């Protein structure tokens, strides 16, 4: 059973593009209802606040998992089919409901929804567990197994037990570590151990875990050591040397096909910035100059979004909550600032120990990013704003979701 709760009809969005309003992380302003009623299907029911209350009432009989989302949120669209698949596999042991926070701002405010996607598990009318971001299927399944009522002591370790029966000790250890990480997602120690366990077998996952660890103190030094070992392992297995290596510089051709094991963030970021300037010149607006302070603020937000699998203009940090605060924290100097963000899922292929984006080059990827912003009124307004004279651009690849995150910070 799947229940969708919408207070108003769903607004049609541009397919394949992810847009994000500049103003807030989760909009709370009420929107006007369209005259045309929303179409419904047999699998989805559109209803009012009263129906949401009935969903909570249903949680007294069976656990209900609610995903808070919006239609323009890329990670939300990535997570939705995963949740639907798990709900179908559960066979009625728990139910799935979808709540559009733009159409139901009071519900979002009631449960403190500040970033999306945000998933809550309800039991007897109360939220008893939650997670944020588009997590992999196995992480979500472990979360469900750990938190579903009456199932916390049953079946939680069955997968690891099956692996041990087959003699796969290493895989069983990895499974148990992933369960532990799902319960303690911010633990650097678990990430270090799991990265070591994954190294050589799943280098992209190992590198992703290492990149999530703060580079300070003993844990930072150990993370750097593991990162070097991962690079060496890739060198031995692949003719391509990683981007960090001085022996094989990053690609310089805009028409080069993107190889994620030798990915040049600087090339892609420069192409994005050049194309934005082309748009400005076509509108009679002067080109933007690159600024190191704005670049640092853009990179800081981009790393935050990839780490938490969210698309947002805010951080859960009192000193870096807004774009103005982030710019000021890196040196400031701008009276007016703006920010564009986006998430772009890509189709990838893996062969000969290399991960490549299918049939896409640096210049095509950059063009898609800029077109996404052009098609979003808020982002386009920032792009051609004559008050902005400087910019910082950051791009990054999130292997967990096979997606690019991009952030531009403007200043004037």
């Amino acid at each position: 059973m799947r229940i969708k709760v919408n207070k108003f009809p769903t607004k049609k969005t541009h397919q394949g593009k992810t847009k994000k309003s500049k103003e807030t992380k989760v909009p709370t302003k009420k929107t006007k209802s369209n005259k045309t009623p929303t179409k419904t299907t047999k699998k989805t029911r559109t209803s009012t606040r009263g129906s949401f209350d009935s969903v909570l009432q249903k949680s007294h009989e069976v656990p209900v998992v609610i995903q808070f989302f919006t239609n323009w949120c890329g990670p939300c669209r990535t997570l939705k089919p995963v949740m639907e698949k798990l709900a179908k596999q559960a066979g009625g042991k728990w139910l799935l409901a979808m709540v559009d926070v733009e159409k139901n701002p009071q519900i979002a405010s009631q449960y403190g929804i500040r970033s999306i996607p945000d998933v809550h598990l309800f039991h007897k009318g109360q939220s008893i567990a939650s997670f944020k971001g588009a997590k992999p299927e196995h992480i979500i399944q472990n979360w469900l197994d750990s938190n579903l009522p009456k199932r916390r002591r049953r079946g939680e370790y069955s997968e690891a037990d099956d692996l041990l029966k087959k003699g796969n000790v290493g895989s069983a250890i990895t499974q148990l570590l992933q369960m532990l990480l799902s319960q303690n997602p911010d633990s650097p120690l678990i990430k270090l151990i799991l990265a070591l366990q994954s190294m050589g077998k799943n280098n992209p996952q190992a590198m992703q875990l290492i990149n999530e660890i703060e580079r300070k103190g003993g844990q930072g030094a150990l993370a750097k050591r593991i990162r070097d070992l991962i690079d060496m392992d890739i060198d031995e297995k692949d003719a391509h040397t990683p981007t960090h290596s001085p022996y094989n510089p990053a690609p310089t051709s805009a028409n080069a096909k993107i190889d994620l094991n030798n990915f040049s963030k600087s090339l892609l970021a420069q192409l994005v910035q050049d194309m934005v300037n082309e748009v400005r010149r076509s509108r009679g607006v002067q080109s933007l100059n690159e600024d190191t302070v704005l670049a640092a603020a853009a990179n800081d937000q981009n790393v935050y979004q990839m780490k938490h699998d969210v698309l947002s203009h805010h951080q859960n940090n009192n000193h870096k909550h807004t774009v103005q605060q982030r710019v000021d924290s890196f040196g400031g100097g701008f009276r007016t600032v703006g920010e564009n963000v986006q998430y772009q899922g890509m189709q990838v292929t893996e062969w000969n120990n290399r991960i490549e984006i299918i049939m896409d080059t640096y210049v095509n990827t950059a063009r898609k990013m800029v077109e996404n912003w052009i098609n979003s009124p808020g982002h386009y307004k920032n792009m051609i704003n004559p008050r902005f004279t400087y910019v910082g651009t950051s791009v990054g690849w999130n292997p967990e979701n096979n997606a690019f995150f991009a952030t531009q910070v403007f200043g004037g």
Side-chain angles (χ1 to χ4, degrees), residues 305-323:
Q305 291 180 120
M306 290 191 293
K307 178 179 179 180
H308 296 279
D309 292 325
V310 295
L311 194 66
S312 174
H313 288 286
H314 296 80
Q315 292 188 19
N316 292 328
N317 183 326
N318 292 333
H319 302 293
K320 295 182 179 180
H321 184 63
T322 66
V323 59

Side-chain angles (χ1 to χ4, degrees), residues 5 29 64 76 105 127 139 239 243 271 285 297 327 342-343 366-368 377 394 402 405:
V5 180
K29 185 178 179 180
V64 177
C76 298
S127 175
I139 294 293
T243 306
L271 288 169
V285 183
V327 171
Q342 75 167 276
Y343 162 104
R367 185 176 294 112
K368 289 178 182 178
S394 176
N402 289 336
F405 281 79

Side-chain angles (χ1 to χ4, degrees), residues 268 271-272 275 361-371:
L268 184 56
L271 288 169
V272 169
M275 291 180 184
T361 62
Y362 282 89
V363 66
N364 286 341
T365 302
R367 185 176 294 112
K368 289 178 182 178
M369 290 180 174
V370 176
E371 287 175 351

Side-chain angles (χ1 to χ4, degrees), residues 175-186:
Q175 173 64 20
L176 292 173
L177 286 171
Q178 289 173 339
M179 290 174 56
L180 194 58
L181 182 61
S182 69
Q183 298 167 12
N184 304 275
D186 297 321

